[in-house]
Every structure is written in structure tokens, then in C-alpha cells.
Amino acid sequence: MNEPRIVTAAVIVIGNEILSGRTKDSNLNYLATGLTEIGIRLMEGRFIPDIEDVIVATVNELRAKHDYVFTTGGIGPTHDDITSASIAKAFGLNWVLHPRAEKLLLDHYGRENLTEARLRMAHTPEGADLIDNPVSVAPGIKIGNVYVLAGVPRICQAMFDGLKAQLKGGDKVLSRTVSGYVGEGTIARDLGALQERYTMLDIGSYPFFRGGKFGASFVIRGTEQAKIDAAAIELHDIIRNLGAEPIEGEPAA
Amino acid sequence: MNEPRIVTAAVIVIGNEILSGRTKDSNLNYLATGLTEIGIRLMEGRFIPDIEDVIVATVNELRAKHDYVFTTGGIGPTHDDITSASIAKAFGLNWVLHPRAEKLLLDHYGRENLTEARLRMAHTPEGADLIDNPVSVAPGIKIGNVYVLAGVPRICQAMFDGLKAQLKGGDKVLSRTVSGYVGEGTIARDLGALQERYTMLDIGSYPFFRGGKFGASFVIRGTEQAKIDAAAIELHDIIRNLGAEPIEGEPAA
């Protein structure tokens, strides 16, 4: 058995409006799901304010630790959009006008509407690549292993979808979910023993309350399908022995 | 003018299921909103996996930096619920049976159903206080400045609501929102100048697209209502000068 090839990522959600509660983030979940699909393991998420020093420190900590870092938020035209310049600072690079980004904005807005503020969106850390924005033109930025995406969910998600094919994942984490109307406290001992027999897998237990009954979904994750399936079969038996019926997947709502 | 009394917090969302994308977190936003209401500033959020070393390191880093730390997730009865024991380790404390938590579970489940697994939920770092769980009995934990809450949103939120009155906030961050159907790139220069005139305030710009038109909401935040109101009046003028009508609050959907 080979060691799995593990490729990791971190997501940094940047914005005072998230930390004040004004805005609900939905980008972390979108990126988490998309990264899992392509074999990249999201190891941590950071939610931080629009403060330059914090952005610089967080980006530098995480780009050293992970294969990929994705940021969301703070790349618009207003004074509070400081992500791009902060990331230039994190890399020790100048923040400069990117000719192709300028051309994109010029074609979109026309010379008379390409305000100085909008031109901020054509600045990148020196030597950065652009990330396509099919929604509102102003591009995202790739510098080193850091991908700088918009905060508006529709734009963030479109940028990510567009660059997904360039990202190189490792061995995918496969998963199989088995559910049952059993109390977590009732099944816990057998479930823990199952986890101990399958140390190469990660078995999670997630309780639910549906139609007036308690139950739980058990998610078996790992890189080897055969092991996952073997554990799932044992789990079916465990659930049956407790007098419940195993359900493949999540129970119907 | 006195310096504002600033009280800060961090939230740690613990769970592999969040990082894999299986589960959407909603607790961060709930806690962010509730903390803002009582004058506690959420300065950062961390999303981390169910890995003991990571929990220990993250809790120890953040409890030293902030007045309050809240964790969510990982306090159920199954083998993957390692938050409580990990926090004991972070504090260098034994993880012990808490007599009052045991009594709560005994009264709820009865002796015959109080499995060894469920009894895990009655263990806390030695000397911890309990946080009331009005939904499903098994308590949260308070140790030092760390509040350990459930991951299931209904339970997490009920625990937080119950303990809110004990939390001591600083000066509240007040806010006023003014919106307008103006492009961010059009208003950005005047908005940046407004921010420069009101350095004690934090002015955020959040674009929207509604009814086929672009606009933005401008959120003015600070601890002094009079300054906020003065900036809002200037902002009304800025929006009018751009030929749009200022809207108090968010525009109607």
C-alpha cells in the first residue's frame, strides 16, 4: 500500500462585515466542497478583518504551511479593499498596474468611466497572474501559491470554477455515508471500536433529529474504497444489532 | 473623548465535516451577531479539524490573545468528539468526571441508558463550570476564558443565548447603513475622502445587484453615535451629488 499523496489548502475569508455578523459567508463551504472533489484537503479556514498587518501575517503563515491558499474578499475599488496591496506586501513585492488587467477594465468601462478607484482593481503584486472573472470583469490574482478571489459569492465561485482545472490535487478523499435511527450514545462504543479496527479511515458521527426521532449519519472517509466499503458493511451490522435499519447516505428529509 | 473600552473574542469552529464541505457552518455568524450586540468584537474565526494537537495549539494561541474564546463542535459522545479532552490538555488540566454534569445526564437518561459513551459528555477539564444546554441536556463547558459549545446549531445557539448575560462587553460598536444605486467605482474617491475625515469610524462598502441595477451599501461603524450620524449626513450628500437617492439601511429586496 502506498502512502496517499496529500495536497493541502487553507482558505482566508477577509472582511469586517463577516466578523460583525452583517454578512454570512458562503464561500468557505463552496471552496471546501470543490477542493474535496479534486483531491485537495482543506486543513484550515481563517476569518480575519480588513487589517493590513493581519492579512500579511496570515497569508505568510499559511502559504508556508499549505500547497494552496485561497483568499476571498477585499479586491473591489473602494478604500476598504486592501487585500491585493496587502498580499503584495506579504510577498515583499511592489503593487503595480497590470497591463492586461488594465486593458480588461478599459474594454469594459471605457476610458471615461475607468476611474482611479476602478484602476485599483487593475493593480497586482508585481509578476502576478490574473484569474478570470466572468461575472464583472475585474480579475482575481494568483501569486505564488496564493489565489486571491472576490468576496461576492457569485464572483468568488465563478473565479474558482474557472481555475479548478489548473489545481493539482493528490489522492482524493473518498467517502461513504451510512445513517441509522440510533442514538449516538448507544452506538458510540461499537463505532469507536470500528474506528480502531480501521485506523486508515476517518469515521465521523453527525447526529440529527428528524420526524420526531433521533439518529445519526456516520461518514467514513479515506483514500481506499475497498477499506471504506468493508467498514461500511461492518457498520450496517452494528446498526442492525441495535435494532435499527441501516440507511445508505443521509436519511430522506 | 475617552478611548473606547475594547473587548475582543475569537471563535474556533471545530470539525472535519466543515472542512470537507459536508456541513455548512452557521454558528460563526450567529455568534458574531450576538457578540456585536453586547459590545464584544469578534476579531477572528478559525475553522480547524478534529485533531488534538491543532485544537490545543489554536486554543492556547487565541485564549492568550483575546478576552473570550468560543469553540463549537466535538462535544458529543462518540470517538471523534475530542474537543473537551483537548481543551483540558491545552490548559494542562486533568479531564475528569464533573459530578453535576453526571447528575444531569443521569436524570435525563436514567442509569441503564447512561452508557460509558454518554458519560464522556459529563467529563470536563478539572475545575470547569458548566454551560446550560436547554435542548439536549449534555452541558457546554467554561474553563478560564474559553467557552466550549456544541456544534449542532440549535444547541450551540441556545447555549450562547443562555450565557450571553454573563459576558462583559466593552463599548458597543454602533453602525448605520446608507445605500444607494451608485457604482462603487464611481463613489470610491469621495468615500475614501470621507473615511479620511472620520478616522475614528470604519466605513465599509458592500456592492449589490438588485432589480437589474448595481448599487452599494455603506456601513459606518464606530463607538460614537454623533460622529456616525455626521458622516452619514455627508454620505447622503455624496450620493445625491452622484445623481442617486440615498437610502437609509439596506434597499428593499
Side-chain angles (χ1 to χ4, degrees):
Chain A
M1 205 52 63
N2 295 322
E3 282 294 299
R5 284 174 305 120
I6 295 178
V7 176
T8 69
V11 167
I12 307 173
V13 174
I14 302 171
N16 295 341
E17 73 281 15
I18 309 278
L19 293 171
S20 74
R22 175 188 182 273
T23 303
K24 284 184 191 172
D25 167 71
S26 62
N27 292 327
L28 182 91
N29 181 258
Y30 191 86
L31 298 177
T33 304
L35 290 169
T36 299
E37 281 167 17
I38 59 178
I40 297 176
R41 301 176 192 205
L42 178 59
M43 297 305 294
E44 52 187 314
R46 298 278 182 102
F47 284 57
I48 61 173
D50 303 304
I51 297 176
E52 184 184 79
D53 290 351
V54 177
I55 299 172
V56 169
T58 307
V59 166
N60 279 341
E61 180 189 341
L62 297 183
R63 73 188 174 98
K65 271 170 76 178
H66 298 289
D67 298 297
Y68 293 103
V69 172
F70 300 88
T71 76
T72 72
I75 62 166
T78 53
H79 65 275
D80 55 334
D81 290 306
I82 63 168
T83 297
S84 172
S86 300
I87 286 173
K89 192 162 182 190
F91 279 84
L93 293 169
N94 290 319
W95 192 55
V96 298
L97 189 65
H98 190 294
R100 195 161 69 77
E102 183 187 17
K103 171 131 189 11
L104 285 169
L105 294 178
L106 199 56
D107 290 350
H108 181 66
Y109 288 107
R111 176 62 68 190
E112 70 282 11
N113 288 318
L114 188 52
T115 58
E116 199 183 318
R118 288 194 172 115
L119 216 48
R120 279 168 55 91
M121 301 191 290
H123 284 69
T124 70
E126 194 158 12
D129 292 322
L130 303 182
I131 296 171
D132 191 36
N133 172 354
V135 177
S136 57
V137 182
I141 297 161
K142 172 189 181 304
I143 179 77
N145 61 341
V146 178
Y147 293 74
V148 181
L149 310 178
V152 175
R154 203 159 56 101
I155 306 175
C156 174
Q157 294 169 12
M159 285 179 171
F160 180 73
D161 290 347
L163 63 83
K164 229 167 146 182
Q166 306 167 26
L167 306 174
K168 286 183 179 45
D171 286 346
K172 284 185 196 178
V173 176
L174 308 169
S175 76
R176 181 167 166 180
T177 299
V178 176
S179 305
Y181 285 94
V182 291
E184 275 196 306
T186 307
I187 199 173
R189 195 185 54 183
D190 292 340
L191 196 71
L194 183 68
Q195 173 71 80
E196 280 179 24
R197 286 197 298 282
Y198 289 89
T199 53
M200 77 300 291
L201 302 177
D202 173 43
I203 306 177
S205 174
Y206 307 108
F208 58 74
F209 183 75
R210 229 162 259 187
K213 288 189 296 179
F214 286 100
S217 289
F218 309 104
V219 180
I220 308 169
R221 303 172 81 239
T223 52
E224 298 170 61
Q225 190 67 54
K227 291 276 197 274
I228 291 172
D229 291 340
I233 287 168
E234 292 196 42
L235 183 51
H236 276 234
D237 288 339
I238 290 169
I239 293 170
R240 271 200 205 91
N241 286 340
L242 295 170
E245 199 52 45
I247 299 160
E248 276 295 320
E250 309 280 341
Chain B
M1 202 55 59
N2 296 319
E3 282 293 301
R5 285 174 304 121
I6 295 176
V7 176
T8 69
V11 167
I12 308 173
V13 175
I14 302 170
N16 295 340
E17 73 280 15
I18 309 279
L19 293 170
S20 74
R22 176 189 182 272
T23 302
K24 285 184 191 170
D25 167 71
S26 62
N27 293 327
L28 181 90
N29 181 259
Y30 191 86
L31 298 178
T33 304
L35 291 169
T36 299
E37 281 167 16
I38 59 177
I40 297 176
R41 301 177 191 205
L42 179 59
M43 296 306 293
E44 53 187 314
R46 298 278 182 103
F47 285 56
I48 62 172
D50 303 303
I51 297 175
E52 184 185 81
D53 291 349
V54 177
I55 298 172
V56 169
T58 307
V59 167
N60 280 340
E61 180 189 341
L62 297 183
R63 73 187 173 97
K65 270 170 77 178
H66 298 289
D67 298 297
Y68 292 103
V69 172
F70 300 88
T71 76
T72 72
I75 62 166
T78 54
H79 65 276
D80 55 335
D81 290 305
I82 63 168
T83 297
S84 170
S86 300
I87 286 173
K89 194 164 181 186
F91 279 84
L93 294 169
N94 290 321
W95 192 56
V96 299
L97 190 65
H98 190 295
R100 197 161 67 80
E102 184 187 17
K103 172 137 190 1
L104 285 169
L105 293 178
L106 198 56
D107 290 349
H108 180 66
Y109 287 108
R111 175 64 65 192
E112 69 283 11
N113 288 319
L114 187 54
T115 58
E116 199 182 321
R118 289 193 171 116
L119 215 48
R120 277 167 57 89
M121 300 191 290
H123 284 69
T124 69
E126 195 159 11
D129 292 322
L130 302 183
I131 297 171
D132 190 36
N133 172 355
V135 178
S136 57
V137 181
I141 297 162
K142 172 188 181 306
I143 179 79
N145 60 343
V146 178
Y147 293 75
V148 181
L149 311 179
V152 174
R154 201 159 57 100
I155 306 175
C156 174
Q157 295 168 12
M159 285 179 172
F160 180 72
D161 291 346
L163 64 83
K164 230 168 146 182
Q166 307 167 24
L167 306 174
K168 287 184 179 42
D171 286 346
K172 283 186 195 178
V173 175
L174 308 169
S175 77
R176 180 166 165 181
T177 300
V178 176
S179 304
Y181 284 94
V182 291
E184 277 196 305
T186 307
I187 198 172
R189 196 186 52 185
D190 293 339
L191 195 71
L194 183 68
Q195 173 71 79
E196 281 178 24
R197 286 197 298 281
Y198 290 89
T199 52
M200 78 299 291
L201 302 177
D202 173 44
I203 306 177
S205 174
Y206 307 109
F208 58 74
F209 183 75
R210 228 161 262 186
K213 289 189 296 179
F214 287 99
S217 290
F218 309 103
V219 180
I220 307 170
R221 303 171 81 239
T223 51
E224 297 172 62
Q225 189 67 53
K227 292 275 196 275
I228 292 172
D229 291 340
I233 286 168
E234 292 196 41
L235 183 52
H236 275 235
D237 288 339
I238 291 169
I239 293 170
R240 271 199 206 90
N241 286 340
L242 295 170
E245 199 51 46
I247 299 160
E248 275 295 319
E250 309 279 341

